[in-house]
Amino acid sequence: MTTGSGAAAGRIRPLLLLPPLWALMVGAGLLITGPAATRWPLVAEGDASAWFARHRTGAATAVSEWLTLVASTESVIGVTVVCVVALVVLPRVPRWREAVFLGGSVAAQSALFLLITLCVQRPRPVVSHLDPAPPTSSFPSGHVGASVALYGGLAALAVTRLRGPWRYVAAAALLVVPPAVAVSRLYRGMHHPSDVVGGLVNGVCTLLVIGSALLASRGRPAPAPTVREGGPLPLPRSAEGAITAARGVRRVVVVRHPLACAEKVARQVRGILVRHGCTDVRWTSTTAERPCGDLGAYTAAGRVDLVVVCGGDGTVRACADELAGSGTALAVVPCGTGNLLARNLGLPVRPAAALDAALRGEPVRIDVGRVSGDGLAPTRFTVMAGAGFDALMVRDASPRLKVSVGWLAYVVSAVRHLGDPAMRLTLRLDNGDVLHRRARMVVVGNVGALQGGVPLLPDARPDSGRLEVVLLDPRGVAGWLAVAAHLLGGVLRGRSGRPAGTAGAAGESAAAGTAGTAGTAGTPSAAGATGRLRARGALEYFGAARADLRFAGPQ
């Protein structure tokens, strides 16, 4: 069991990185002002400052003055206080953790800045200054660091705490401020280029440390809640059926991912199940070797009316694979990084609210895909199966970043694979002709929307009996921009691919497939010879019940 003091220690531990960060920044400052001062590129910084001074104009000076005001000490303190008060007062439930994150990030950055300037003495650039020169060292830039802590912190809260596609627009607008402030400080002759880089590093690192301490989910394995925790496997229905039916008890198995589902969420799940009359509840935790825990043993030993899955899409997939075709209802409690199935089904993103909605709703059947191939045992999926860019992005996402910043860890991983070469492949849909293609990515989807409502597969529906297939093959920067514009346009048009009226416990329907294929069962052939081209040909869409993919090399 994780005690309160243990949880607090887990939250405090990232803060121990602040002293090493201060030491590294001081070391960098002493290096810049000492041995490296006469080496390139530092020796050229004077020329950069002189270039900005020579190219000053009235309009640019006015803009830089406004940016300086935005990042000034008075403005940063004022905006921070207003935002902290708003986070505490305006929501129905005060956002204390978010408020402390924002205020703490600004305060910690400022404290580090002052401590660094006590140890590093660097004069301002030898050009005319458009602002009064404060007595502090030129390294690092305090304006830049403060703007990163404040506006970067607000951007992080916008992405992780708000809903809807406009949160990304708000975050992008906020993230433009720090680099704009950095340029304005160079323009106004207040800092060397290395000073603003130091300010950016100070602000970003401080933000990551405070965010890891206050915003990251730190759930740890805990014993199952006290409603018949663990216990022996349920008796066969024949032995207990009469008693259970007489009392109106529903047999429930809760599958819990111990890291994704924190203790607080587990307690909420227990309380909601009790309120809905579910008193015969068994809990099982997942492991790397058993991604759905002991669910198979429970279902084999006796009838299970409902399986509650507290985890991410991977845990939901494993449980759906176990339950497909059994008639047992599955309720999704989204606790993972992406939670794409829950989002596509229109379920609330808050775990407790999602379970409550599922228990109040009516069961609906959804399709599952089945995928198999060389070296890949047949397995079912509820969301998507992919090869190429998509698969590499998911595989290489940092577990630590997933804990700290959620699904943005996938964005970081994706950037690493933007330059990967395309794949050569053949594609056969249902009983159609063999198509020869090249692509950076192939995705076969049962649902279509990614995080933020990005409609990767806008025609995909979880109950259509068909899979949607997309090939991604952007050519150069223009191709990537066309893809981004197409997907962003779909977000703004609200094409999330989310069916109406599917909130509730999802009953899984059976699916069949063949080696080297992904498909759903019982659906008539409906594949066309050519796909639908979008984004100037960078995206090609198909629909079918079965897709046979063969790659020129291992994927």
Side-chain angles (χ1 to χ4, degrees):
M1 176 178 293
T2 301
T3 62
S5 59
R11 289 191 295 269
I12 292 174
R13 192 173 294 115
L15 300 181
L16 299 178
L17 295 173
L18 291 177
L21 173 60
W22 168 80
L24 288 174
M25 291 296 297
V26 169
L30 295 177
L31 183 65
I32 288 172
T33 57
T38 57
R39 296 180 179 273
W40 192 89
L42 296 178
V43 72
E45 288 193 317
D47 296 335
S49 299
W51 184 90
F52 277 106
R54 289 195 305 270
H55 291 83
R56 290 171 180 168
T57 64
T61 299
V63 172
S64 69
E65 186 175 357
W66 180 81
L67 288 169
T68 298
L69 177 63
V70 165
S72 66
T73 302
E74 296 80 2
S75 298
V76 168
I77 293 175
V79 173
T80 302
V81 170
V82 169
C83 292
V84 167
V85 171
L87 287 168
V88 174
V89 174
L90 294 182
R92 293 182 180 179
V93 179
R95 297 273 190 169
W96 287 106
R97 183 170 295 186
E98 289 78 2
V100 175
F101 159 72
L102 187 62
S105 297
V106 174
Q109 183 281 143
S110 300
L112 283 176
F113 162 72
L114 291 175
L115 290 174
I116 294 168
T117 58
L118 291 177
C119 302
V120 179
Q121 299 297 322
R122 191 183 197 190
R124 305 279 171 179
V126 187
V127 295
S128 60
H129 303 153
L130 299 184
D131 295 320
T136 55
S137 169
S138 181
F139 179 90
S141 171
H143 282 71
V144 174
S147 66
V148 171
L150 174 57
Y151 300 105
L154 289 173
L157 293 179
V159 170
T160 59
R161 297 302 189 260
L162 299 181
R163 299 180 182 180
W166 290 107
R167 57 180 173 166
Y168 300 108
V169 177
L174 290 166
L175 290 176
V176 168
V177 175
V181 170
V183 174
S184 75
R185 301 305 287 166
L186 295 174
Y187 176 87
R188 298 181 72 81
M190 303 309 298
H191 291 287
H192 307 277
S194 56
D195 300 333
V196 300
V197 171
L200 289 170
V201 172
N202 184 30
V204 169
C205 292
T206 304
L207 206 59
L208 291 175
V209 169
I210 303 299
S212 298
L214 295 174
L215 296 186
S217 172
R218 298 194 176 275
R220 295 188 178 188
T226 56
V227 182
R228 297 194 60 177
E229 300 180 8
L233 296 178
L235 296 174
R237 185 68 174 181
S238 58
E240 283 192 323
I243 299 175
T244 303
R247 295 179 180 176
V249 174
R250 300 176 63 190
R251 294 168 181 261
V252 180
V253 173
V254 180
V255 179
R256 177 191 176 198
H257 190 296
L259 297 180
C261 179
E263 291 182 48
K264 178 181 178 181
V265 175
R267 290 194 296 268
Q268 292 173 342
V269 168
R270 177 190 62 182
I272 292 172
L273 290 172
V274 170
R275 287 199 299 272
H276 283 272
C278 303
T279 56
D280 189 0
V281 180
R282 310 298 173 97
W283 289 70
T284 180
S285 294
T286 67
T287 64
E289 298 76 21
R290 297 180 293 115
C292 59
D294 291 326
L295 177 59
Y298 280 114
T299 55
R303 176 177 172 181
V304 176
D305 299 302
L306 173 67
V307 173
V308 177
V309 183
C310 304
D313 287 313
T315 306
V316 173
R317 188 214 61 75
C319 294
D321 193 13
E322 179 69 33
L323 298 177
S326 67
T328 301
L330 182 150
V332 179
V333 179
C335 301
T337 305
N339 304 313
L340 290 182
L341 182 62
R343 294 176 187 273
N344 279 272
L345 292 177
L347 290 169
V349 293
R350 289 189 176 184
L355 177 59
D356 189 64
L359 295 176
R360 292 179 185 276
E362 293 295 327
V364 297
R365 288 192 176 273
I366 69 171
D367 305 321
V368 292
R370 187 173 184 179
V371 61
S372 60
D374 297 333
L376 176 65
T379 186
R380 298 178 179 91
F381 63 92
T382 57
V383 179
M384 299 173 187
F389 177 76
D390 170 73
L392 293 170
M393 174 189 70
V394 174
R395 184 195 69 181
D396 295 340
S398 166
R400 290 187 178 182
L401 278 181
K402 288 168 68 175
V403 171
S404 302
V405 299
W407 62 264
L408 290 176
Y410 293 126
V411 177
V412 176
S413 178
V415 171
R416 297 167 53 189
H417 294 288
L418 288 177
D420 288 357
M423 308 172 290
R424 295 289 179 179
L425 62 114
T426 62
L427 170 66
R428 187 181 185 189
L429 303 166
D430 295 329
N431 297 319
D433 297 332
V434 175
L435 307 176
H436 295 267
R437 294 289 189 271
R438 61 163 263 166
R440 297 283 190 91
M441 175 184 81
V442 181
V443 172
V444 182
N446 187 42
V447 297
L450 304 178
Q451 286 86 354
V454 176
L456 179 64
L457 296 161
D459 294 330
R461 299 292 184 273
D463 55 356
S464 65
R466 290 166 54 82
L467 295 168
E468 296 298 318
V469 183
V470 62
L471 305 182
L472 171 72
D473 188 26
R475 306 294 177 95
V477 176
W480 283 108
L481 291 177
V483 171
H486 175 76
L487 296 179
L488 180 59
V491 172
L492 298 179
R493 290 189 298 270
R495 296 170 58 190
S496 64
R498 180 176 295 170
T502 55
E508 300 290 339
S509 61
T514 354
T517 68
T520 57
T523 307
S525 174
T530 58
R532 306 179 300 280
L533 295 176
R534 300 289 185 272
R536 298 184 179 181
L539 293 169
E540 187 173 13
Y541 290 96
F542 304 87
R546 170 175 163 170
D548 190 330
L549 297 159
R550 299 182 183 273
F551 300 92
Q555 300 296 332

